Every structure is written in structure tokens, then in C-alpha cells.
């Protein structure tokens, strides 16, 4: 699974971190989402949930 | 084959349809939207679109091919005019009927107008992409702008207009901007933020009428004074779009009452009202994240999952350099307690305490720290 974050579109809601805390984090200074690492197979569902819940639709997945 | 009809093609409507497909719904999906545009996102309208920092296309949720590939029948420029619950059909304005086994009502809200003056050139409402484009055009040419109503849309628009170089007056009946949504204390901080950026903030001021011959020239306040204006945004609230449901007997009362809908009928987004056991209140939220959460819930219920809906609401506003984010529900009587940072430095976390418990948490330019505060609310 490949994960891309549109950091300019990100609104720093942090919902991705709540859904998949081992995959996403937020920058200290402005809360913009960052990718910690590519998700492991058992994190795919949580990563899909993160992309689904993003209120800026700023996470694109290719599987 | 099972048929889902979603009425409304904005965030809630499109998310419902796409979640259904992604999570394995094999039946027919029809999405009915009254606007001519492909589904798009609204929060950028009062920010990036007004400022001109994004081309309008960037608000789109994706090209029409996405819906075609997902087998979603997207009917744009098409208005639902009625609902027959016994025959399970939506009646379109054209007279056509669309049958369903599951219905999702996601028709959103429409902005309220002042009693008169909306015919004047330069007077705007802000709900749709077309509204935003027209308002931006007006702001670019305007020298004096009055924003009537200092909620989310009004406050964000005042900030954008100021950043475009206009002289801006922000007027509201409430004592301070967003005081209704965030309480008076945070309202005063937002008033200071606007004042520091050169906006004239008039709290506790009613608007009696808009003045002008064919184009707007000013706004008359309740005290008789007149504020000069060549562009006006009226952002004084909304009403849920349930007119088309009136004859259907679908239970409505300031929104579709989710607990009382018959089997197979769901509501999502700005139009939906539900009882929150977590917060002990009836809620109808016009927040972007709620549209997503409720749409996902509606889709999963249609897919047969027995899930409840009682989330911790999340909303935000961006004005100038301030990113203000909130989890929870802010009761009118809540006391604000700053727990970290400094409001004077415009970087802090605060709790809203009501009835001896924390019912909301607010972060002003502290997004990462705010996220961990949310745990206080999930325990309720």
C-alpha cells in the first residue's frame, strides 16, 4: 500500500493519527500530517479508515 | 438488486456513496444533487477560494470518471421535490420518480436572508461554489466590505476580505465574533484578533436594512448609524433543507430526526439531527467532519452493521494565522479554563467545563497537543 499526503490541503485535524497512530503523526509547529512509515499489512484497515475520515480528503492510497 | 438513493451530493452524500462502494455494496447507487457542479468541498470556499490561493477546481472531490468507475449514478442539476415513504420513491422536480430500498437524506442547509435588500448588487450569501466565486469577484473590486453575522462563515470571510486589502466591518448581534459557538471569552479573543488585523468589529449590533438604489451602498444598524459598503456578505445562519420532505411524514424538526426515521431511511450531514447520549443533548451539526462521520455510519448501517452514532464532534476555523480547533460540544453555560499555553501569545489549550465535567476542549494554534486532550471526552 502506498500512502500520499497532500500537505497543503491538510487541515491538521489529526483524525489520521487517531485512526492509525503508527502510520501517521502531526508536525509540531502546525499540526500538518506526516507519514511515519508505509503501513504494514495488519495496519491497512486502519490506514483506509484514516483516509476515509480525513476532513480534507488529503490522504490518497494506492493498493 | 438493492437500490440506494442518496439525496444531496456534497460531502455527506458523496462520502456515503463512495463508502458503500469501497466497502462492498453491490447494488445500485444513485446520488441526486441540485447543483450543476461535481461534488466539492465547502470549507475552502470561505478561505482559499475567497483569497484566490486555490483555483476553484481544487475543491473538487474528483473527476466524473471516479463516480462512473465506482458505478455511482450521479445526477447533477437535479432537485428532489418530494418523497413517498409508502411507495419508497423520491420524486424529482422534473416529475420523474426514483425508487429505493435505502434512502439517505443529505440535503444540507440553506443560508438565511435578511428581510430585504438581497436584490441589491454586491449583496451575497455564501453556501455554494457559485456563491464563493461571485463573492470573491465582489471583494476583489470592493473598497468597503460589511459582513453581517460573525459565525464561522462571517468571521472567516472578514479575515479573507481584510487579507485582500478591503476595509472590513464585521457586525453581529452577539457581543463578540463566534461567541455563540465558542463562548464569550474566546469570542473576545477572536474580536481582538480581527481588530489587530484592522477589521472594525461591531458586537451587539443589529442590522435594520441594506441601503442602495441598484447596488448596495451601506448597511443601516439598529442604532441608526450607517456603515458604508460596496460589498456585503450576509451570514446570519441557516435552515435545514427539509422542505421537500414536508408532505412525506418523515419526522423533521429543525432537521431530520434520525431516531424516528422508518427502517431503510437515514440522514447525514448538516440536515441530520440526533440525540447524543454522550453529551445529553439533541445535536445537528454543520461541521465538515460530522458530514464524513455520519455518512460513513449511514453507509455501514446500509451494509448491515449494527452501529450507533454518538461521536465526539470535531470542528475548526482558520482565520489569519489562527487555527482554532475544538473537540466536543460547547454548552452555553460552560466555563473556559486555560490549561496550557497563553491566550496573549495566541497559542493555548483550554477546557470548557460545564456541570462539573469537561464537555469540550479547544486548541488555538496547538493542533498536536489538542489531539491528546480528546481522550478526556471519549471517556464520557
Amino acid at each position: 500500500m502506498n500512502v500520499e499526503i497532500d500537505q497543503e490541503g491538510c487541515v491538521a485535524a489529526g483524525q489520521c493519527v487517531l485512526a492509525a497512530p503508527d502510520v501517521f503523526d502531526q508536525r509540531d509547529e502546525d499540526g500538518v500530517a506526516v507519514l511515519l512509515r508505509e503501513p504494514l499489512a495488519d495496519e491497512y484497515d486502519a490506514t483506509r479508515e484514516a483516509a476515509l475520515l480525513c476532513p480534507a480528503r488529503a490522504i490518497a492510497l494506492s493498493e | 438488486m438493492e437500490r440506494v438513493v442518496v439525496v444531496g451530493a456534497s460531502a455527506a452524500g458523496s462520502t456515503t456513496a463512495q463508502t458503500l462502494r469501497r466497502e462492498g455494496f453491490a447494488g445500485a447507487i444513485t446520488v441526486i444533487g441540485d447543483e450543476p457542479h461535481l461534488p466539492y468541498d465547502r470549507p475552502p470556499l470561505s478561505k482559499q477560494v475567497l483569497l484566490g490561493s486555490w483555483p476553484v477546481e481544487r475543491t473538487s472531490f474528483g473527476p466524473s470518471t471516479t463516480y462512473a468507475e465506482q458505478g455511482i449514478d450521479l445526477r447533477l442539476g437535479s432537485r428532489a421535490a418530494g418523497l413517498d415513504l409508502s411507495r419508497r420513491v423520491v420524486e424529482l422536480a422534473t416529475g420523474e420518480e426514483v425508487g429505493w430500498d435505502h434512502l439517505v437524506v443529505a440535503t444540507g442547509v440553506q443560508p438565511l436572508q435578511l428581510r430585504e435588500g438581497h436584490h441589491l448588487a454586491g449583496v451575497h450569501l455564501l453556501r455554494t461554489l457559485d456563491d464563493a466565486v461571485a463573492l470573491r469577484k465582489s471583494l476583489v473590486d470592493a473598497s468597503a466590505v460589511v459582513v453581517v453575522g460573525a459565525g464561522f462563515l462571517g468571521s472567516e470571510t472578514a479575515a479573507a476580505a481584510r487579507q485582500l486589502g478591503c476595509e472590513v466591518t464585521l457586525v453581529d448581534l452577539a457581543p463578540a465574533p463566534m461567541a455563540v459557538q465558542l463562548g464569550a471569552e474566546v469570542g473576545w479573543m477572536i474580536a481582538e484578533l480581527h481588530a489587530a488585523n484592522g477589521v472594525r468589529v461591531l458586537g451587539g449590533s443589529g442590522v435594520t436594512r441594506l441601503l442602495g438604489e441598484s447596488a448596495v451602498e451601506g448597511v443601516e444598524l439598529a442604532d441608526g448609524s450607517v456603515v458604508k459598503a460596496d460589498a456585503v456578505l450576509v451570514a446570519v445562519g441557516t435552515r435545514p433543507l427539509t422542505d421537500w420532505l414536508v408532505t412525506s411524514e418523515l419526522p423533521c424538526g429543525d432537521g431530520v430526526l434520525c431516531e424516528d426515521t422508518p427502517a431503510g431511511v437515514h440522514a447525514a450531514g448538516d440536515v441530520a439531527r440526533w440525540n447524543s447520549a454522550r453529551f445529553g443533548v439533541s445535536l445537528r451539526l454543520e461541521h465538515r467532519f460530522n458530514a464524513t462521520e455520519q455518512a460513513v455510519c449511514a453507509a455501514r448501517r446500509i451494509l448491515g452493521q449494527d452501529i450507533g452514532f454518538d461521536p465526539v464532534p470535531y470542528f475548526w476555523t482558520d482565520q489569519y494565522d489562527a487555527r482554532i480547533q475544538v473537540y466536543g460540544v460547547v454548552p452555553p453555560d460552560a466555563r473556559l479554563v486555560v490549561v496550557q499555553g497563553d491566550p496573549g501569545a495566541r497559542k493555548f489549550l483550554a477546557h470548557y467545563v460545564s456541570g462539573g465535567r469537561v464537555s469540550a476542549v479547544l486548541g488555538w494554534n496547538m493542533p498536536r497537543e489538542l489531539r491528546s486532550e480528546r481522550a478526556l471526552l471519549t471517556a464520557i
Side-chain angles (χ1 to χ4, degrees), chain B residues 223-257:
Chain B
D223 65 5
S225 63
V226 173
V227 185
K228 201 172 137 277
D230 44 18
V232 172
L233 172 70
V234 176
V236 292
T238 60
R239 54 186 284 277
L241 268 169
T242 52
D243 301 357
W244 66 286
L245 297 168
V246 167
T247 57
S248 72
E249 296 181 351
L250 189 70
C252 293
D254 187 38
V256 175
L257 305 176

Side-chain angles (χ1 to χ4, degrees), chain A residues 6 8-9 11-15 17-18 25-28 30-31 49 52-53 55 57, chain B residues 14-15 18-19 54 58 61 288-289 292 296 300 314 316 323 325 327 367-368 371 374:
Chain A
D6 167 10
E8 203 204 317
V11 295
Q15 293 294 334
V17 192
L18 291 168
D25 198 356
Q26 287 177 277
R27 290 199 300 234
D28 257 337
D30 58 7
E49 193 75 2
L52 178 64
L53 290 179
R57 295 204 189 187
Chain B
S14 69
T15 301
Q18 293 184 324
T19 305
W54 283 13
R58 188 152 176 196
F61 287 149
R288 177 62 183 82
F289 186 59
T292 294
V296 169
R300 288 177 179 166
Y314 167 78
W316 81 96
R323 171 159 282 164
Q325 301 170 296
Y327 286 108
R368 200 167 185 274
R371 202 185 63 239
R374 180 182 178 274

Side-chain angles (χ1 to χ4, degrees), chain B residues 46 50 114 122-126 135 139 144-162 166-173 177 194 199-203 205-207 210 216 218-219 221 227-237 320:
Chain B
S46 54
L50 287 187
L114 297 177
V123 177
H124 298 267
L125 297 168
L126 178 52
L135 176 59
L139 294 179
V145 175
V146 175
V147 178
V148 183
F152 287 87
L153 276 184
S155 299
E156 290 178 3
T157 298
R162 187 67 199 126
C166 306
E167 189 182 301
V168 181
T169 307
L170 178 58
V171 184
D172 200 295
L173 268 175
H194 279 275
V199 170
R200 186 173 167 222
V201 181
L202 298 178
S205 301
V207 166
L210 304 172
V216 70
V219 174
L221 305 182
V227 185
K228 201 172 137 277
D230 44 18
V232 172
L233 172 70
V234 176
V236 292
Y320 312 101

